[in-house]
Amino acid sequence: MAATIQVEIVSAEQEIWSGAGTMVFAPGEIGELGIAPGHTPLITKLNPGDVRVIREDGEEEFIFVSGGVLEVQPHVVTVLSDTAVRGHDLDEASALEAKRQAEEKLAEAAAEMDYAQAQAELASAIAQIRSIEKLRRLRR
C-alpha cells in the first residue's frame, strides 16, 4: 500500500472533502504545487483553480476553490477556501454568466466601480471554466 497523507478541504460554509490521498495538486500563488506524503511543511496562498487529490484507490477527487490558503504539515494537508465546489457540482452555465458579468463590470469606466473586485470575480469565473474543461477531458 502506498504512503498517504490526510487531506482536509474546507470552505467557509462546510467541510467539502476529507480523506487519505497519495498526492495532492493545488493552484499555488506562484504555480501549481504537488504535495506527496512527507512533504516539507509550508503555508501558501491559493489562486482560484482546482485542487486534485489522488486517493488511495487511484481515483481522483476534483474540487474547485476560489482561492484561499494551503497548509502542509507532516501528516495533514489543509485547504481553507471561501468557496469550494466538488467537481461534479460545478455549473458551466453559471460560471459563463459570472464571467460575462465580470467582463461587463470591467468594461464600465465608472469611478465608483471596484476594479479589483471585478478583476477577482473575472479570475475566479475563468478558473472555474478551466476547471470544468479539465474535468471534462479527464472523464473522457
Side-chain angles (χ1 to χ4, degrees):
M1 178 161 46
T4 62
I5 189 165
Q6 181 64 26
V7 182
E8 308 288 336
I9 301 175
V10 181
S11 75
E13 296 88 28
Q14 64 186 351
E15 179 178 86
I16 302 299
W17 191 83
S18 177
T22 59
M23 193 71 183
V24 179
F25 299 95
E29 190 172 36
I30 59 172
E32 185 171 62
L33 297 163
I35 299 129
H39 193 285
T40 302
L42 72 88
I43 295 178
T44 188
K45 289 173 62 175
L46 293 175
N47 285 334
D50 52 281
V51 174
R52 295 172 296 131
V53 180
I54 309 300
R55 298 187 321 222
E56 288 181 279
D57 63 5
E59 293 295 314
E60 190 170 22
E61 287 295 329
F62 190 94
I63 294 108
F64 172 80
V65 295
S66 61
V69 177
L70 171 87
E71 178 184 28
V72 178
Q73 291 296 320
H75 304 289
V76 179
V77 172
T78 304
V79 173
L80 304 170
S81 180
D82 286 339
T83 304
V85 181
R86 292 183 75 134
H88 56 76
D89 293 331
L90 288 171
D91 181 359
E92 187 171 17
S94 294
L96 290 170
E97 178 59 18
K99 178 180 180 276
R100 185 192 64 74
Q101 289 178 3
E103 288 172 337
E104 280 181 8
K105 285 181 187 177
L106 286 170
E108 295 172 1
E112 69 275 358
M113 178 184 74
D114 185 347
Y115 191 77
Q117 178 65 31
Q119 280 186 314
E121 289 172 9
L122 179 59
S124 182
I126 290 170
Q128 191 169 356
I129 292 165
R130 285 183 183 148
S131 292
I132 291 167
E133 291 168 353
K134 185 185 291 184
L135 185 58
R136 189 178 293 137
R137 283 192 304 272
L138 289 172
R139 289 183 175 162
R140 287 183 187 174

